[in-house]
Amino acid sequence: MSETNKQADRAAAAEPENRERAIQSMLSAIKRILAENQPSVYLYGSSVLRDFRLGWSDIDILVLTQKRISEGQAQELLLLRQKMLENEPDNPYYRSFEGGMLTLSAFLSKEPDRVVYWGTSGQRITETYLFDSFCMVELLRSGKLLLGADVREQLKMPEYAELYDDVQKHYESIRRYAQTTGRSLYTFGWLLDIARGIYTLREGAVISKTEAAQWALEQHLCPVPEALETALRVRKAPMAYRCDPAIGDYAETLAPKIQRFADVLEKELEKWRERK
């Protein structure tokens, strides 16, 4: 086993202590940088829904400030994840942080602002921040306030039509990008996204991807259940499968299976359009 894999295994064994330490350290740094901006910092998503898995999941945060973030503050926040990882190289959770930092007024109005964005593909300073209806439901229903005043009473719970629109966008992405698949574990995520989309359309609610996959299997909704069962196993223990060549081989065969499950999602979308 390589030294990198040994380090990952040690980190997984230390969960959730390392994750909690990373969250608290990141919170302290954000508080220091934005001390004059009156920030409200929220944790939401898989970390709060008890569905976080090292090697797959993100630590989703949202920072809403009363005062606009300055250029200097934005530059310091931009590379904060990397700086924290340099200071604590044995804690991989700093790589998992994703989210946006902007003023509450811009978040509400969707007007341009100075926004610090952290994503899977990197970080940037931009003018807008996309926060879809799924994220909003998670924030309002189960989000955890880590710092500052709770401003969620100023936010609006998404209507069913908004959830529908975002499921439609996910569906279109699946049709476009999942025509071929590689060996990445994230390939299995398409199946989980489909399961959650179907659940949301039927129930008008948002649950974790793991729960959605389990529900879809119980309801016998997936025409290729072995694919969804494998996706669920990988989702629950990604570190155990990250170097498994058999799982990589299987991931490469997933495209037609994903598209067959997407057919089910398409029918659910059509049902709602017919009811409108």
Side-chain angles (χ1 to χ4, degrees), residues 25-261:
S25 296
M26 186 64 74
L27 180 63
S28 295
I30 292 172
K31 180 180 180 180
R32 174 184 58 78
I33 296 169
L34 296 176
E36 299 178 355
N37 300 68
Q38 297 177 266
S40 295
V41 182
Y42 293 94
L43 185 70
Y44 68 97
S46 60
S47 293
V48 177
L49 296 174
R50 297 183 180 180
D51 194 34
F52 183 92
R53 298 293 185 273
L54 181 64
W56 185 313
S57 305
D58 305 318
I59 300 176
D60 296 301
I61 65 168
L62 175 66
V63 181
L64 301 175
T65 66
Q66 297 298 322
K67 180 181 176 181
R68 192 168 190 251
I69 297 172
S70 70
E71 179 63 29
Q73 289 171 320
Q75 291 295 338
E76 190 171 0
L77 290 167
L78 188 65
L79 299 177
L80 183 58
R81 293 184 299 180
Q82 290 88 329
K83 182 177 179 180
M84 301 294 284
L85 184 59
E86 289 174 2
N87 292 338
E88 199 176 338
D90 291 332
N91 191 331
Y93 291 93
Y94 294 110
R95 298 189 185 95
S96 302
F97 282 92
E98 290 198 5
M101 307 176 202
L102 67 162
T103 60
L104 172 62
S105 59
F107 187 75
L108 292 170
S109 67
K110 297 182 173 55
E111 294 180 354
D113 191 18
R114 181 176 289 117
V115 179
V116 178
Y117 170 76
W118 293 343
T120 304
S121 59
Q123 55 281 324
R124 61 182 180 271
I125 298 173
T126 183
E127 293 185 345
T128 58
Y129 181 54
L130 175 63
F131 199 76
D132 69 18
S133 61
F134 279 72
C135 293
M136 185 64 79
V137 171
E138 291 177 346
L139 176 67
L140 294 176
R141 289 262 171 87
S142 57
K144 180 179 179 182
L145 178 67
L146 300 179
L147 176 69
D150 195 344
V151 298
R152 283 176 291 187
E153 71 279 356
Q154 300 182 53
L155 308 181
K156 180 183 177 183
M157 181 66 71
E159 298 180 355
Y160 185 93
E162 295 172 88
L163 291 169
Y164 175 92
D165 287 344
D166 282 328
V167 173
Q168 177 71 37
K169 291 175 184 176
H170 282 298
Y171 164 78
E172 292 171 357
S173 294
I174 291 164
R175 289 303 201 195
R176 180 177 180 182
Y177 297 111
Q179 293 295 328
T180 59
T181 53
R183 300 180 63 82
S184 171
L185 294 185
Y186 297 119
T187 297
F188 293 96
W190 294 116
L191 294 161
L192 306 182
D193 286 338
I194 293 169
R196 189 164 74 152
I198 296 171
Y199 180 91
T200 296
L201 291 174
R202 289 196 176 187
E203 305 296 331
V206 177
I207 58 176
S208 73
K209 294 180 180 180
T210 299
E211 290 177 305
Q214 292 169 335
W215 171 83
L217 287 169
E218 292 168 0
Q219 298 295 316
H220 306 289
L221 295 174
C222 184
V224 280
E226 74 283 355
L228 187 56
E229 289 167 356
T230 303
L232 192 56
R233 288 199 301 273
V234 172
R235 167 70 180 182
K236 289 181 176 181
M239 300 299 285
Y241 290 105
R242 69 195 185 280
C243 297
D244 188 333
I247 287 294
D249 292 344
Y250 188 70
E252 286 186 306
T253 72
L254 278 179
K257 300 176 178 66
I258 292 170
Q259 295 303 324
R260 286 185 64 190
F261 197 16

